[in-house]
Amino acid sequence: MNIINRYKLKYAALMKDTEVPLMQSRIKILTYGLIIMLSLTLIILFTSLTKPNITTIIRLFILAVTMGYALYLLLEKGKWQVSGHIFLLSLCIFIWTNLLFYATGINLVTLQLSLIIISSSFYTLGKNWGILYSSANVIPIALHMISTRLQNGTVSLTAMQIGNTSFLLAFIVNFGILIMMHYEFFKSFYQSHYKERELNAQLQQALKEAQEATRLRSDFLSSMSHELRTPLHAVIGMINVLSIENPRKDQEENLAILRFSAENLLALINDTLDFSKMNEDKVVLNKADFNLSILLQNIHSSFKSKAEQKGLDLRLKMDFGGKQVYINGDQTRLTQILNNLVSNAVKFTDTGGRVELSVTTTAQIGQKIVLLFAVKDSGIGIPVNKQEIIFEPFLQANNNITKRYGGTGLGLAIVKRLINLHDSELRLISEENIGSVFSFELSYELAKPEIAEEKSPAISTTVRDISNLNILIAEDNIINIMLLKKILDQWDCNYSLSKNGQEALDMVKTGAFDVVLMDIHMPVMDGFEASRHIRELPDPNISKIKIIALTASSDVDIQESFNFTYLDDYLLKPFSPLLLKEKLEAVVSHRSGK
Ligand code: ADP
């Protein structure tokens, strides 16, 4: 009794080791199979002793010993695979010896045994062993049957040499084993299937929750960014106003520090929002024709003064020389990529260094052109062990870098994703204290010059008097109104106020204005809708009024908006007063050109 309890515990421990239903059923099939077979062999062995047939007794004895050993290995040592092989091999040898040496022929029990070998080999040891053991006993049986057919003309199932009672017992028990095996295997299959279904349901639920969490996070991020940007715009706007009010030297320095911190904070907010949109696959590339040569020249000139201040030699190299190249693609995103890379190159290169933005045509087939963009600098470089992590969000090559140069650590992560969005890769070659080269290849369709040219904004170069312009301000935020008033007062402009889109529309209808400075987010009627209504007014002199949007959205957001077409131009808040002046001067030029 003690020994039975001991093995019961061992068996329970073995089953507990594996929680996979399939494994449990394999061990169960093997244990039950061995116990039943061993008991059957012993019973037949004892009943055979009454009608002694020495070969039968020896074979049954050997079979009982091997089954017993297999059971011992399984329960005592936990070696269920070895035990399975011994079980199957002993059954195979029993069949082979029967066919080869005793020529007792094929009987029902032999066929049952071969069925047990086939099922248990597949169920307990898997596909490959299943095929091997099945062939190892089916082929000899088939060969034996063929040779009997050739010799005797017929094949018949023969009776057993053991007593009829034993035969009947073996016959019934073998069926029992076959049923037990299939039952156990089906049970495990059903359990696995049920578990899988349960897991799938849990997975679906988790996925739903994760998607909901992502949506909430993104909503939170975008509303938080908006809320943060509004007061920050006022801060930067005020800095702009103070800067043009002839500050003292010491005040100028304080304003510069204020500007640096506020602009850095704004860049962080904008980058975070852009990056989170990219992670949610919300960014799509917009295609339009544009003049690549002008785009590159604009980027070059926008960094020129910063480079000069730092004493850097900033160069632009285009292998198409003075020729204008027009392409079709996402101009805003290309500008964003190059701005980020050139800004880093300028930032991380010390006085006397050199920064070069180059564009080379690597292939041109028909209307398709492949361009290699490279931004090369002779700056501080990036250590080899940091060359991977700098592309991760918020990671910088060196913690002191933020203190010394500023930055959000998001620029390269955004650039990398944008280049991937173009189906390309950003490459980096860099050596510490020697410099860095960031490069990537993009392919574009060539565009027709006329179409691209039409869309390029005219750049006004002559300074004009804007004091006799009639300006309508559409803005609901009192701080922004105050800022605008201060700026416009400096240039003695005539302006009127409207607090929402509806008011602006009503005032425009009077025909008293040359230009509307239109905020986008306003109560009652937003800036986009007001612009659309203005464009639909019957009087063409009024409906064609210049509309310059003043928006807290990002550059990309406003250009991607389909309402963009109602606007003549836009300025991103916080804008520099000089930029506003440039836009107003363009309105004057346009008016006098009419
Ligand atoms: P950051 O806003 O800090 O510039 P980026 O993602 O653009 O964020 O850059 C991540 C880090 O990669 C930088 O902090 C800097 O350590 C390193 N890095 C980027 N460009 C250069 C460069 N041209 N030369 C040296 N280091 C660079």
Short mmCIF file of all heavy atoms in Angstrom, two decimals, residues 264-320:
data_model
loop_
_atom_site.label_atom_id
_atom_site.label_comp_id
_atom_site.label_asym_id
_atom_site.label_seq_id
_atom_site.Cartn_x
_atom_site.Cartn_y
_atom_site.Cartn_z
N ASN A 264 12.82 76.62 -26.25
CA ASN A 264 13.18 75.22 -26.03
C ASN A 264 11.97 74.43 -25.53
O ASN A 264 11.71 73.31 -25.96
CB ASN A 264 14.30 75.16 -25.00
CG ASN A 264 15.29 74.10 -25.36
OD1 ASN A 264 15.33 73.67 -26.50
ND2 ASN A 264 16.06 73.68 -24.39
N LEU A 265 11.23 75.05 -24.62
CA LEU A 265 10.04 74.42 -24.06
C LEU A 265 8.99 74.22 -25.16
O LEU A 265 8.37 73.16 -25.27
CB LEU A 265 9.48 75.30 -22.94
CG LEU A 265 8.33 74.73 -22.13
CD1 LEU A 265 8.68 73.37 -21.56
CD2 LEU A 265 7.97 75.68 -20.99
N LEU A 266 8.85 75.21 -26.01
CA LEU A 266 7.88 75.12 -27.10
C LEU A 266 8.28 74.01 -28.08
O LEU A 266 7.43 73.23 -28.53
CB LEU A 266 7.78 76.47 -27.82
CG LEU A 266 6.70 76.55 -28.89
CD1 LEU A 266 5.32 76.43 -28.28
CD2 LEU A 266 6.80 77.85 -29.67
N ALA A 267 9.60 73.93 -28.37
CA ALA A 267 10.07 72.89 -29.29
C ALA A 267 9.78 71.52 -28.69
O ALA A 267 9.36 70.60 -29.40
CB ALA A 267 11.58 73.05 -29.52
N LEU A 268 9.97 71.39 -27.38
CA LEU A 268 9.72 70.11 -26.72
C LEU A 268 8.25 69.73 -26.84
O LEU A 268 7.91 68.60 -27.18
CB LEU A 268 10.14 70.20 -25.25
CG LEU A 268 9.87 68.95 -24.41
CD1 LEU A 268 10.66 67.78 -24.94
CD2 LEU A 268 10.24 69.19 -22.95
N ILE A 269 7.37 70.70 -26.62
CA ILE A 269 5.93 70.41 -26.71
C ILE A 269 5.55 70.02 -28.14
O ILE A 269 4.86 69.03 -28.37
CB ILE A 269 5.10 71.64 -26.24
CG1 ILE A 269 5.36 71.88 -24.75
CG2 ILE A 269 3.63 71.45 -26.50
CD1 ILE A 269 4.84 73.21 -24.25
N ASN A 270 6.05 70.80 -29.11
CA ASN A 270 5.71 70.50 -30.50
C ASN A 270 6.25 69.14 -30.93
O ASN A 270 5.55 68.36 -31.57
CB ASN A 270 6.27 71.58 -31.43
CG ASN A 270 5.49 72.87 -31.29
OD1 ASN A 270 4.36 72.87 -30.82
ND2 ASN A 270 6.10 73.98 -31.68
N ASP A 271 7.51 68.86 -30.55
CA ASP A 271 8.12 67.57 -30.93
C ASP A 271 7.39 66.41 -30.27
O ASP A 271 7.16 65.37 -30.90
CB ASP A 271 9.60 67.53 -30.51
CG ASP A 271 10.46 68.28 -31.51
OD1 ASP A 271 9.90 68.76 -32.51
OD2 ASP A 271 11.68 68.38 -31.30
N THR A 272 7.00 66.59 -28.99
CA THR A 272 6.31 65.50 -28.30
C THR A 272 5.00 65.19 -29.00
O THR A 272 4.66 64.03 -29.22
CB THR A 272 6.01 65.90 -26.83
OG1 THR A 272 7.21 66.37 -26.26
CG2 THR A 272 5.48 64.75 -26.03
N LEU A 273 4.29 66.23 -29.40
CA LEU A 273 3.01 66.03 -30.07
C LEU A 273 3.21 65.35 -31.43
O LEU A 273 2.51 64.40 -31.77
CB LEU A 273 2.34 67.39 -30.26
CG LEU A 273 0.85 67.34 -30.49
CD1 LEU A 273 0.15 66.73 -29.30
CD2 LEU A 273 0.30 68.73 -30.76
N ASP A 274 4.20 65.81 -32.16
CA ASP A 274 4.48 65.25 -33.49
C ASP A 274 4.91 63.79 -33.35
O ASP A 274 4.45 62.92 -34.08
CB ASP A 274 5.62 66.06 -34.12
CG ASP A 274 5.51 66.06 -35.63
OD1 ASP A 274 4.43 65.71 -36.13
OD2 ASP A 274 6.51 66.39 -36.30
N PHE A 275 5.77 63.53 -32.36
CA PHE A 275 6.29 62.19 -32.17
C PHE A 275 5.16 61.23 -31.76
O PHE A 275 5.09 60.10 -32.24
CB PHE A 275 7.37 62.21 -31.08
CG PHE A 275 8.04 60.89 -30.90
CD1 PHE A 275 8.92 60.42 -31.86
CD2 PHE A 275 7.79 60.11 -29.78
CE1 PHE A 275 9.52 59.19 -31.71
CE2 PHE A 275 8.39 58.89 -29.63
CZ PHE A 275 9.27 58.43 -30.59
N SER A 276 4.26 61.72 -30.91
CA SER A 276 3.18 60.82 -30.48
C SER A 276 2.26 60.52 -31.65
O SER A 276 1.75 59.42 -31.79
CB SER A 276 2.44 61.39 -29.28
OG SER A 276 1.32 62.08 -29.68
N LYS A 277 2.08 61.50 -32.54
CA LYS A 277 1.25 61.25 -33.74
C LYS A 277 1.91 60.21 -34.63
O LYS A 277 1.26 59.35 -35.20
CB LYS A 277 1.06 62.55 -34.52
CG LYS A 277 -0.14 63.29 -34.03
CD LYS A 277 -0.66 64.43 -34.87
CE LYS A 277 0.13 64.97 -35.97
NZ LYS A 277 -0.28 66.21 -36.54
N MET A 278 3.25 60.29 -34.72
CA MET A 278 3.96 59.34 -35.58
C MET A 278 3.85 57.93 -35.02
O MET A 278 3.70 56.97 -35.76
CB MET A 278 5.43 59.72 -35.63
CG MET A 278 5.71 60.59 -36.80
SD MET A 278 7.37 61.17 -36.75
CE MET A 278 7.09 62.78 -37.37
N ASN A 279 3.93 57.82 -33.70
CA ASN A 279 3.84 56.50 -33.08
C ASN A 279 2.48 55.87 -33.26
O ASN A 279 2.34 54.66 -33.18
CB ASN A 279 4.15 56.60 -31.58
CG ASN A 279 5.64 56.50 -31.38
OD1 ASN A 279 6.39 56.23 -32.31
ND2 ASN A 279 6.07 56.72 -30.16
N GLU A 280 1.48 56.70 -33.48
CA GLU A 280 0.14 56.14 -33.68
C GLU A 280 -0.18 56.02 -35.16
O GLU A 280 -1.35 55.86 -35.53
CB GLU A 280 -0.88 57.05 -33.01
CG GLU A 280 -0.86 56.92 -31.51
CD GLU A 280 -1.45 58.15 -30.86
OE1 GLU A 280 -2.37 58.75 -31.43
OE2 GLU A 280 -0.95 58.52 -29.79
N ASP A 281 0.86 56.13 -35.99
CA ASP A 281 0.68 56.00 -37.45
C ASP A 281 -0.33 57.00 -37.99
O ASP A 281 -1.09 56.70 -38.91
CB ASP A 281 0.24 54.58 -37.83
CG ASP A 281 1.32 53.58 -37.52
OD1 ASP A 281 2.50 53.98 -37.55
OD2 ASP A 281 1.00 52.42 -37.25
N LYS A 282 -0.39 58.18 -37.34
CA LYS A 282 -1.37 59.17 -37.81
C LYS A 282 -0.75 60.09 -38.87
O LYS A 282 -1.41 60.97 -39.38
CB LYS A 282 -1.85 60.02 -36.63
CG LYS A 282 -2.92 59.34 -35.81
CD LYS A 282 -3.53 60.33 -34.86
CE LYS A 282 -4.52 59.69 -33.94
NZ LYS A 282 -4.77 60.51 -32.77
N VAL A 283 0.56 59.91 -39.12
CA VAL A 283 1.22 60.81 -40.05
C VAL A 283 1.21 60.20 -41.45
O VAL A 283 1.63 59.07 -41.63
CB VAL A 283 2.66 61.09 -39.59
CG1 VAL A 283 3.42 61.86 -40.63
CG2 VAL A 283 2.63 61.84 -38.28
N VAL A 284 0.69 60.94 -42.42
CA VAL A 284 0.76 60.48 -43.81
C VAL A 284 1.50 61.53 -44.63
O VAL A 284 1.48 62.71 -44.28
CB VAL A 284 -0.64 60.25 -44.43
CG1 VAL A 284 -1.21 58.92 -44.07
CG2 VAL A 284 -1.58 61.37 -44.09
N LEU A 285 2.15 61.07 -45.68
CA LEU A 285 2.90 62.02 -46.50
C LEU A 285 1.97 62.68 -47.51
O LEU A 285 1.15 62.01 -48.13
CB LEU A 285 4.03 61.30 -47.22
CG LEU A 285 5.10 60.69 -46.30
CD1 LEU A 285 6.11 59.90 -47.10
CD2 LEU A 285 5.78 61.76 -45.47
N ASN A 286 2.10 63.99 -47.63
CA ASN A 286 1.28 64.72 -48.61
C ASN A 286 2.11 65.02 -49.84
O ASN A 286 3.22 65.51 -49.71
CB ASN A 286 0.82 66.05 -48.01
CG ASN A 286 -0.29 65.84 -47.03
OD1 ASN A 286 -1.10 64.94 -47.22
ND2 ASN A 286 -0.29 66.62 -45.98
N LYS A 287 1.56 64.75 -51.00
CA LYS A 287 2.36 64.98 -52.20
C LYS A 287 1.91 66.23 -52.93
O LYS A 287 0.71 66.44 -53.11
CB LYS A 287 2.27 63.77 -53.13
CG LYS A 287 2.98 62.58 -52.52
CD LYS A 287 3.28 61.54 -53.54
CE LYS A 287 4.22 60.52 -52.95
NZ LYS A 287 4.47 59.42 -53.82
N ALA A 288 2.89 67.03 -53.31
CA ALA A 288 2.60 68.22 -54.12
C ALA A 288 3.88 68.56 -54.88
O ALA A 288 4.97 68.14 -54.49
CB ALA A 288 2.20 69.38 -53.23
N ASP A 289 3.73 69.31 -55.97
CA ASP A 289 4.92 69.71 -56.74
C ASP A 289 5.61 70.87 -56.05
O ASP A 289 4.94 71.78 -55.54
CB ASP A 289 4.50 70.15 -58.15
CG ASP A 289 3.93 68.98 -58.93
OD1 ASP A 289 4.10 67.83 -58.47
OD2 ASP A 289 3.31 69.22 -59.98
N PHE A 290 6.92 70.86 -56.02
CA PHE A 290 7.64 72.00 -55.45
C PHE A 290 9.04 72.12 -56.04
O PHE A 290 9.57 71.17 -56.64
CB PHE A 290 7.70 71.94 -53.92
CG PHE A 290 8.49 70.78 -53.37
CD1 PHE A 290 9.82 70.93 -53.02
CD2 PHE A 290 7.90 69.54 -53.18
CE1 PHE A 290 10.55 69.87 -52.50
CE2 PHE A 290 8.61 68.47 -52.66
CZ PHE A 290 9.93 68.64 -52.31
N ASN A 291 9.61 73.32 -55.84
CA ASN A 291 10.94 73.60 -56.37
C ASN A 291 11.97 73.23 -55.31
O ASN A 291 12.10 73.90 -54.28
CB ASN A 291 11.01 75.10 -56.70
CG ASN A 291 12.33 75.47 -57.34
OD1 ASN A 291 13.35 74.83 -57.10
ND2 ASN A 291 12.31 76.52 -58.17
N LEU A 292 12.70 72.14 -55.56
CA LEU A 292 13.65 71.64 -54.57
C LEU A 292 14.80 72.62 -54.36
O LEU A 292 15.26 72.83 -53.23
CB LEU A 292 14.20 70.28 -55.02
CG LEU A 292 15.28 69.68 -54.13
CD1 LEU A 292 14.73 69.31 -52.76
CD2 LEU A 292 15.89 68.44 -54.78
N SER A 293 15.23 73.26 -55.46
CA SER A 293 16.37 74.18 -55.35
C SER A 293 16.03 75.32 -54.40
O SER A 293 16.83 75.68 -53.53
CB SER A 293 16.73 74.74 -56.72
OG SER A 293 16.67 73.70 -57.66
N ILE A 294 14.80 75.84 -54.52
CA ILE A 294 14.41 76.96 -53.64
C ILE A 294 14.30 76.49 -52.19
O ILE A 294 14.77 77.15 -51.26
CB ILE A 294 13.08 77.59 -54.11
CG1 ILE A 294 13.36 78.35 -55.40
CG2 ILE A 294 12.47 78.51 -53.05
CD1 ILE A 294 12.26 79.27 -55.86
N LEU A 295 13.73 75.28 -52.02
CA LEU A 295 13.60 74.74 -50.66
C LEU A 295 14.98 74.65 -49.98
O LEU A 295 15.17 75.08 -48.84
CB LEU A 295 12.94 73.37 -50.72
CG LEU A 295 12.71 72.64 -49.40
CD1 LEU A 295 11.38 71.91 -49.43
CD2 LEU A 295 13.79 71.64 -49.07
N LEU A 296 15.95 74.14 -50.73
CA LEU A 296 17.30 73.98 -50.15
C LEU A 296 17.92 75.34 -49.85
O LEU A 296 18.54 75.54 -48.80
CB LEU A 296 18.19 73.18 -51.11
CG LEU A 296 17.76 71.72 -51.30
CD1 LEU A 296 18.51 71.09 -52.46
CD2 LEU A 296 18.00 70.92 -50.03
N GLN A 297 17.72 76.29 -50.79
CA GLN A 297 18.29 77.62 -50.56
C GLN A 297 17.65 78.29 -49.33
O GLN A 297 18.33 78.93 -48.53
CB GLN A 297 18.08 78.51 -51.78
CG GLN A 297 19.18 78.31 -52.80
CD GLN A 297 18.71 78.62 -54.21
OE1 GLN A 297 17.66 79.22 -54.41
NE2 GLN A 297 19.49 78.20 -55.20
N ASN A 298 16.33 78.07 -49.17
CA ASN A 298 15.65 78.65 -48.01
C ASN A 298 16.20 78.09 -46.71
O ASN A 298 16.39 78.80 -45.73
CB ASN A 298 14.14 78.39 -48.08
CG ASN A 298 13.46 79.30 -49.06
OD1 ASN A 298 14.05 80.29 -49.51
ND2 ASN A 298 12.23 78.98 -49.43
N ILE A 299 16.42 76.75 -46.70
CA ILE A 299 16.96 76.14 -45.48
C ILE A 299 18.35 76.71 -45.21
O ILE A 299 18.68 77.09 -44.08
CB ILE A 299 17.02 74.59 -45.62
CG1 ILE A 299 15.60 74.05 -45.64
CG2 ILE A 299 17.83 73.96 -44.49
CD1 ILE A 299 15.48 72.58 -45.91
N HIS A 300 19.13 76.82 -46.27
CA HIS A 300 20.49 77.36 -46.12
C HIS A 300 20.45 78.77 -45.56
O HIS A 300 21.13 79.09 -44.58
CB HIS A 300 21.20 77.31 -47.49
CG HIS A 300 22.59 77.86 -47.45
ND1 HIS A 300 22.92 79.05 -48.03
CD2 HIS A 300 23.71 77.40 -46.86
CE1 HIS A 300 24.20 79.29 -47.82
NE2 HIS A 300 24.71 78.30 -47.12
N SER A 301 19.55 79.61 -46.14
CA SER A 301 19.55 81.00 -45.65
C SER A 301 18.98 81.12 -44.24
O SER A 301 19.39 81.98 -43.47
CB SER A 301 18.83 81.98 -46.58
OG SER A 301 18.08 81.32 -47.52
N SER A 302 18.03 80.19 -43.87
CA SER A 302 17.46 80.34 -42.53
C SER A 302 18.49 80.02 -41.43
O SER A 302 18.34 80.45 -40.30
CB SER A 302 16.21 79.48 -42.38
OG SER A 302 16.56 78.13 -42.42
N PHE A 303 19.54 79.25 -41.77
CA PHE A 303 20.56 78.95 -40.75
C PHE A 303 21.80 79.83 -40.89
O PHE A 303 22.73 79.71 -40.10
CB PHE A 303 20.98 77.47 -40.84
CG PHE A 303 19.95 76.54 -40.26
CD1 PHE A 303 19.05 75.88 -41.07
CD2 PHE A 303 19.85 76.35 -38.89
CE1 PHE A 303 18.09 75.03 -40.55
CE2 PHE A 303 18.89 75.52 -38.34
CZ PHE A 303 18.00 74.85 -39.19
N LYS A 304 21.80 80.66 -41.94
CA LYS A 304 23.01 81.42 -42.25
C LYS A 304 23.44 82.33 -41.09
O LYS A 304 24.59 82.30 -40.66
CB LYS A 304 22.77 82.26 -43.50
CG LYS A 304 24.03 82.37 -44.30
CD LYS A 304 23.76 82.90 -45.63
CE LYS A 304 25.15 83.17 -46.24
NZ LYS A 304 25.08 83.81 -47.47
N SER A 305 22.45 83.08 -40.54
CA SER A 305 22.86 84.05 -39.52
C SER A 305 23.32 83.34 -38.25
O SER A 305 24.28 83.74 -37.61
CB SER A 305 21.73 85.02 -39.23
OG SER A 305 20.72 84.38 -38.53
N LYS A 306 22.66 82.23 -37.90
CA LYS A 306 23.06 81.47 -36.71
C LYS A 306 24.49 80.94 -36.90
O LYS A 306 25.31 80.99 -35.97
CB LYS A 306 22.10 80.30 -36.52
CG LYS A 306 22.04 79.84 -35.09
CD LYS A 306 20.86 78.93 -34.91
CE LYS A 306 20.59 78.73 -33.42
NZ LYS A 306 19.41 77.97 -33.19
N ALA A 307 24.76 80.43 -38.12
CA ALA A 307 26.10 79.89 -38.40
C ALA A 307 27.13 81.01 -38.32
O ALA A 307 28.22 80.83 -37.75
CB ALA A 307 26.11 79.23 -39.77
N GLU A 308 26.76 82.17 -38.88
CA GLU A 308 27.69 83.30 -38.85
C GLU A 308 27.99 83.73 -37.43
O GLU A 308 29.14 83.96 -37.05
CB GLU A 308 27.13 84.47 -39.65
CG GLU A 308 27.57 84.42 -41.09
CD GLU A 308 26.75 85.34 -41.99
OE1 GLU A 308 26.04 86.23 -41.46
OE2 GLU A 308 26.81 85.16 -43.22
N GLN A 309 26.92 83.77 -36.60
CA GLN A 309 27.11 84.14 -35.19
C GLN A 309 28.10 83.21 -34.50
O GLN A 309 28.88 83.62 -33.66
CB GLN A 309 25.79 84.02 -34.43
CG GLN A 309 24.91 85.24 -34.51
CD GLN A 309 23.52 84.91 -33.94
OE1 GLN A 309 23.38 83.99 -33.15
NE2 GLN A 309 22.52 85.66 -34.37
N LYS A 310 28.05 81.92 -34.88
CA LYS A 310 28.94 80.94 -34.24
C LYS A 310 30.29 80.85 -34.93
O LYS A 310 31.16 80.08 -34.51
CB LYS A 310 28.29 79.54 -34.29
CG LYS A 310 27.32 79.28 -33.17
CD LYS A 310 26.93 77.82 -33.11
CE LYS A 310 27.90 76.99 -32.29
NZ LYS A 310 27.49 75.61 -32.12
N GLY A 311 30.46 81.61 -36.04
CA GLY A 311 31.71 81.56 -36.79
C GLY A 311 31.88 80.26 -37.55
O GLY A 311 32.96 79.68 -37.61
N LEU A 312 30.76 79.76 -38.11
CA LEU A 312 30.83 78.50 -38.86
C LEU A 312 30.73 78.77 -40.36
O LEU A 312 30.12 79.74 -40.77
CB LEU A 312 29.66 77.59 -38.49
CG LEU A 312 29.50 77.16 -37.05
CD1 LEU A 312 28.28 76.28 -36.90
CD2 LEU A 312 30.73 76.39 -36.60
N ASP A 313 31.34 77.89 -41.13
CA ASP A 313 31.26 78.00 -42.57
C ASP A 313 30.12 77.07 -43.02
O ASP A 313 30.27 75.84 -43.01
CB ASP A 313 32.61 77.55 -43.14
CG ASP A 313 32.61 77.54 -44.64
OD1 ASP A 313 31.65 78.07 -45.23
OD2 ASP A 313 33.56 76.99 -45.24
N LEU A 314 28.96 77.64 -43.34
CA LEU A 314 27.80 76.82 -43.71
C LEU A 314 27.65 76.82 -45.23
O LEU A 314 27.53 77.86 -45.86
CB LEU A 314 26.53 77.41 -43.06
CG LEU A 314 25.20 76.76 -43.43
CD1 LEU A 314 25.11 75.33 -42.92
CD2 LEU A 314 24.03 77.57 -42.88
N ARG A 315 27.68 75.60 -45.82
CA ARG A 315 27.62 75.54 -47.29
C ARG A 315 26.47 74.69 -47.79
O ARG A 315 26.05 73.75 -47.12
CB ARG A 315 28.90 74.90 -47.82
CG ARG A 315 30.07 75.77 -47.54
CD ARG A 315 31.27 75.26 -48.22
NE ARG A 315 32.36 76.13 -47.83
CZ ARG A 315 33.52 76.13 -48.38
NH1 ARG A 315 33.78 75.29 -49.36
NH2 ARG A 315 34.46 76.95 -47.97
N LEU A 316 26.03 75.06 -48.98
CA LEU A 316 25.00 74.26 -49.64
C LEU A 316 25.57 73.78 -50.96
O LEU A 316 26.07 74.58 -51.76
CB LEU A 316 23.75 75.13 -49.90
CG LEU A 316 22.68 74.53 -50.79
CD1 LEU A 316 22.06 73.29 -50.16
CD2 LEU A 316 21.57 75.55 -51.07
N LYS A 317 25.52 72.45 -51.20
CA LYS A 317 26.07 71.91 -52.45
C LYS A 317 24.98 71.11 -53.15
O LYS A 317 24.42 70.18 -52.55
CB LYS A 317 27.24 70.97 -52.12
CG LYS A 317 28.57 71.46 -52.65
CD LYS A 317 29.69 70.71 -52.05
CE LYS A 317 30.21 69.58 -52.89
NZ LYS A 317 31.38 68.96 -52.24
N MET A 318 24.68 71.51 -54.38
CA MET A 318 23.67 70.74 -55.13
C MET A 318 24.33 70.33 -56.43
O MET A 318 24.88 71.19 -57.12
CB MET A 318 22.45 71.61 -55.44
CG MET A 318 21.80 72.20 -54.23
SD MET A 318 20.35 73.16 -54.67
CE MET A 318 21.02 74.75 -54.95
N ASP A 319 24.27 69.05 -56.77
CA ASP A 319 24.98 68.65 -57.99
C ASP A 319 24.24 69.06 -59.26
O ASP A 319 24.72 68.89 -60.35
CB ASP A 319 25.35 67.15 -57.98
CG ASP A 319 24.17 66.26 -58.29
OD1 ASP A 319 23.02 66.73 -58.14
OD2 ASP A 319 24.39 65.11 -58.68
N PHE A 320 23.00 69.63 -59.06
CA PHE A 320 22.33 70.16 -60.25
C PHE A 320 22.66 71.64 -60.46
O PHE A 320 22.04 72.33 -61.25
CB PHE A 320 20.83 69.90 -60.23
CG PHE A 320 20.22 69.75 -58.87
CD1 PHE A 320 19.80 70.85 -58.15
CD2 PHE A 320 20.08 68.49 -58.30
CE1 PHE A 320 19.23 70.70 -56.89
CE2 PHE A 320 19.52 68.35 -57.04
CZ PHE A 320 19.09 69.45 -56.33
#
